[in-house]
Amino acid sequence: EVQLVESGGGVVRPGGSLRLSCAASGFTFDDYGMIWVRQAPGKGLEWVSAINWNGGSTGYAESVKGRFTISRDNAKNSLYLQLNSLRAEDTALYHCARAVAGSEYAFDIWGQGTMVTVSS
Amino acid sequence: QSALTQPASVSGSPGQSITISCTGTSSDVGSYNLVSWYQQHPGKAPKLMIYDVTKRPSGVSNRFSDSKSGNTASLTISGLQAEDEADYYCCSYAGSSTWVFGGGTKLTVL
C-alpha cells in the first residue's frame, strides 16, 4: 500500500524547534518530489516547502523562509522538515505529500498529518 | 506569495452543476498550466481531483472538470451528489520551486 506517515509534532514554546518526519512506503521514494503543507485549525491549506527527488532543488514559502529547512534521506525513504524559531502562527497540522508521477506539480498521496502547537 | 482567491462558499442542489473560481496573478495561474484542485472532507487529508488543468487521477469521476482563462482557473462539478459536499482548494505552481494555494471554498449540497 502506498502510504505516507508523519511524526514528530508536539507542543513547543515560541522560539523553540521541532523536526518533523514523513515515512514513505509502497513506492520508490527517490522517484518523486515531495512537499510539506500545513493547515492551521479551522483554516485553509498553506504550502510550506518542496524538495525534488534528489534534494538538489528546494523551495520555501516566504512565511517560513530562513526558519524551516526541508531535507530527505532516500536511503531511509524519509522526508524531513526542521522547524526553528517557531511562532504561534506556525501552529498547524503539517502534512507531507508526494508529487504525481510524470507531473511533479500536483500531489496525489497525502499523509494524515502531525500536529504542531506553539504555545507558552 | 499571496493566496489565490476563491469564493468562501458555493452551493447547489443534487443534479445541478456548480463552478468554483480561483484567481491568481500573472506570476502563478497566468504563467503556468499547472493548477491542481483538491477536495477535503472534514478531518481527512486532501484528495487530488484534477491537475495540470485537464488531467484526472484514476478513480476521480468525470463529473469534475476544469478550465483556465488568463489568471483565473475554474473547477466545475456537474451532476452534484451529496458526497461532493466538502472543501475545495486550488493550487498553482508559482515558479522557482514554489506553490500557492487558494483560500478554499466550502461546497454545500442543498
Side-chain angles (χ1 to χ4, degrees), chain A residues 38-46 88-95 115-117, chain B residues 8 40-44 87-89 102-106:
Chain A
R38 68 185 180 184
Q39 188 167 30
K43 303 297 184 181
L45 301 175
E46 180 187 11
E89 55 264 36
D90 296 319
T91 294
L93 184 66
Y94 285 72
H95 295 276
M115 188 67 199
V116 172
T117 302
Chain B
Q40 188 180 35
H41 287 108
K44 300 295 187 181
D87 293 326
Y88 290 85
Y89 296 89
T105 298
K106 181 177 181 61

Side-chain angles (χ1 to χ4, degrees), chain A residues 35 37 39 43-47 50 57-63 95 100-108 110-112, chain B residues 1 34 36 38 40 43-48 50-52 55 57 87 89 91 93 96-104:
Chain A
I35 63 168
V37 172
Q39 188 167 30
K43 303 297 184 181
L45 301 175
E46 180 187 11
W47 174 79
S57 178
T58 59
Y60 298 91
E62 287 296 328
S63 58
H95 295 276
V100 173
S103 170
E104 296 294 320
Y105 298 101
F107 306 96
D108 62 345
W110 292 68
Q112 290 301 312
Chain B
Q1 289 182 346
L34 296 172
S36 50
Y38 300 85
Q40 188 180 35
K44 300 295 187 181
K47 175 185 177 182
L48 177 63
I50 287 184
Y51 65 101
D52 294 359
K55 300 174 184 174
D87 293 326
Y89 296 89
C91 180
Y93 182 64
S96 301
S97 298
T98 68
W99 279 258
V100 59
F101 276 93

